[in-house]
Amino acid sequence: MSGGKEIKGQISSIKNTQKITKAMEMVAASKMKKAQGRMSAARPYAKMIKNVVGHLANAHPEYKHPFLVQRDSVKRVGLIIISTDRGLCGGLNTNLFKQALKKINEWKKNSIEVDVCAIGSKAERFFKRLDVNLVAQVSHLGDSPEINDVIGSIKIMLDNYIEGNIDELHLAENKFINTMSQEPGVTHLIPTEPSQEDERSHHWDYIYEPDSKSVIDNLLVRYVESLVYRGIVENVACEMSARMVAMKSASDNASNLIDELQLIYNKARQASITQELSEIVAGAAAV
Amino acid sequence: MTTMHLDIVSAEEEIFSGSVKNIVAAAMMGEVGIHPKHTPMITPLKPGEIKVITEDGEEHFIFVSGGVLEVQPDIVTVLADTAIRGEDLDEAKAAESKKRAEEALADKNDKIDAAKALAELAQATAQLKMIENLRKKSK
């Protein structure tokens, strides 16, 4: 019987692959739940620090931090890009890189140069092939990233900004919308656009201890860090849900393939039985 | 007795949230005690304990490794750090991250990866071909 054995082998190898994709799907599903938990746990801090920075923007008159001041001409911008460390998560990274590239090309058209800070090994691999200036890189943050791990690379970008090497800082990240969809986007980090919310009727200011400059410096660095950290935590949730969906469709495809191959195998077996039978009958008739 | 709302949050989680009567924290310039209706204040915190007396008179001690304390008349916010901070430490981390970027750029043509990918591609193509053949044969 022709090909019967090969088809059998093929089916069992696809079955093995399917087992792996199924397992990955389940692992991703449970990790996604945890990542979503971390995402919501990180939310209060982001909200609070945003409030405080908003208060600050309304309060202090005498010291203007460079992060709050728009620069007249922009010659060079910084881009922090958050990607995953591992693949097999659908088009998550590719879509993000596409968005980032579009933005980079736009800047290059206006003869603005770009410094890139890559978070995650996928971004690192992608951007070192391109003609961009990779200034900082951090990867292998794991499933529960800590803010500790990213302080260094953010500091490089912020120092560059303060020294005037870059005039704007942007962040390319995936936004978690729901399990089925993630949206890549590039957002403007610093200088922060002044908030137009509640204009206070009376003039007031904080007591700064020890002085306004060091307090505000301190706070704004943390503000940027918290934004980037939030992006990283969100990216883990995106990665897990994208992987879950990708692995689910891989498992489904595998079952389709198995069904098809099973049919082919059955036909081949039927054909060989028919042939054997007719040979026997023909043999008996000849006797 | 008046109370104020206190939130202690770190980047990773929410640590405390609720109504309190009194807070004592280790600020950069020394210990500060905050009662409700305090004038607006903002200050960095040293690593240390924050003593919180809640509405019903319970005492809580919460350890933070630094952070920022913001005081509004009715709301107090502590943005706690989870990382141990310091100018030198941050500097070291920055240097490390930079080094990694340079290393990554140095080996621009990682041939091993490319070779591996090619091998995998060849294997996949062969498998696809085999399936095609099988389909044709069975028809």
Side-chain angles (χ1 to χ4, degrees), chain B residues 6-7 37 47 49-50 54 65 69 76 91 99 106 118 120 123 127-128 135:
Chain B
L6 170 70
D7 284 303
K37 306 289 176 209
E49 270 173 348
I50 299 177
T54 58
S65 48
L69 172 75
V76 177
E91 204 68 61
K99 209 179 93 200
L118 274 178
E120 276 169 5
Q123 215 175 345
Q127 272 177 358
L128 278 175
R135 272 188 197 153

Side-chain angles (χ1 to χ4, degrees), chain A residues 31 35 38 83-86 120 139-146 149 232-233 235-237 239-240:
Chain A
K31 279 187 177 173
R38 264 193 297 277
S83 74
T84 65
D85 278 333
R86 279 168 292 178
S139 58
H140 302 291
L141 298 174
D143 294 333
S144 51
E146 284 174 11
D149 302 322
I232 293 171
V233 173
N235 190 57
V236 175
E239 177 189 351
M240 292 311 163

Side-chain angles (χ1 to χ4, degrees), chain A residues 159-178:
Chain A
D159 284 352
N160 275 342
Y161 180 82
I162 289 169
E163 285 160 17
N165 295 336
I166 58 174
D167 302 308
E168 272 178 12
L169 185 59
H170 296 256
L171 176 69
E173 58 174 349
N174 281 302
K175 285 243 177 301
F176 185 89
I177 295 171
N178 54 43

